[in-house]
Amino acid sequence: MGLFSRRPLTPVERLMKAAKLPIAGGELPLDDIAPEVVRRPGKPAAAVLAVVEELLADAPQVAVSFLEDVQNIASHGADELLGVEDLLPLRGPRTVEAWETVDRFWAKVVAWCDENGVELEREDTLRAVSNPALLAQLRLTYRRLGDGRRVGLADVLRYEQATGEPMAVLGFHAQA
């Protein structure tokens, strides 16, 4: 490598660059990048999802983990955020597969909770959170369901302990 050669960007730096976030200070946690991508208006969701499409071949765990964060945030349908329906047309074929893998996993968690009497909280309880930073963190850890309930990481942990099935990101294998 020459004196002025640059090292290749890491998967996280590639996401940050596509999201128009500065990379000079080092990598941000994925859960700091996802809210920036989903925020309205004008954030580069299409460019970031194009990078996710590439990362699904190179770094699938990073890509799927990031997609899961994006899905969780978008599921809440907040006016200031892109919704799932805004993101669906921006996905490439690998991203569609990964997206559906994550969705199927969370659907299994919900079904298991319903079958085993685990009561899921109502989504509207999040409306009482007035601190924007706390609300952003909660949106990452909960997924809003169409019936007004929400399923969260604690429910995922219960499911994993009961069934032995790991969270989708850990079990995802991109197709060649």
Side-chain angles (χ1 to χ4, degrees), residues 65-95:
S65 182
F66 179 76
L67 270 181
E68 192 161 41
D69 287 346
V70 167
Q71 285 179 295
N72 287 353
I73 296 166
S75 76
H76 293 277
D79 290 339
E80 72 275 12
L81 302 173
L82 296 173
V84 171
E85 65 283 347
D86 299 312
L87 298 169
L88 292 178
L90 305 177
R91 303 170 304 161
R94 285 189 203 114
T95 308

Side-chain angles (χ1 to χ4, degrees), residues 51-113:
V51 170
V52 168
E53 182 74 11
E54 296 167 7
L55 291 178
L56 284 163
D58 306 342
Q61 286 189 308
V62 170
V64 175
S65 182
F66 179 76
L67 270 181
E68 192 161 41
D69 287 346
V70 167
Q71 285 179 295
N72 287 353
I73 296 166
S75 76
H76 293 277
D79 290 339
E80 72 275 12
L81 302 173
L82 296 173
V84 171
E85 65 283 347
D86 299 312
L87 298 169
L88 292 178
L90 305 177
R91 303 170 304 161
R94 285 189 203 114
T95 308
V96 168
E97 179 192 346
W99 188 284
E100 291 173 356
T101 297
V102 172
D103 271 349
R104 281 190 300 272
F105 175 80
W106 282 82
K108 287 180 187 178
V109 172
V110 172
W112 180 87
C113 288

Side-chain angles (χ1 to χ4, degrees), residues 36-45 79-82:
E36 292 299 318
V37 172
V38 182
R39 191 165 293 137
R40 286 188 195 270
K43 289 296 178 180
D79 290 339
E80 72 275 12
L81 302 173
L82 296 173

Side-chain angles (χ1 to χ4, degrees), residues 136-151:
Q137 287 301 308
L138 289 171
R139 285 180 176 151
L140 280 164
T141 62
Y142 287 99
R143 180 173 287 229
R144 183 180 185 275
L145 304 174
D147 62 6
R149 298 180 299 161
R150 62 186 164 111
V151 60

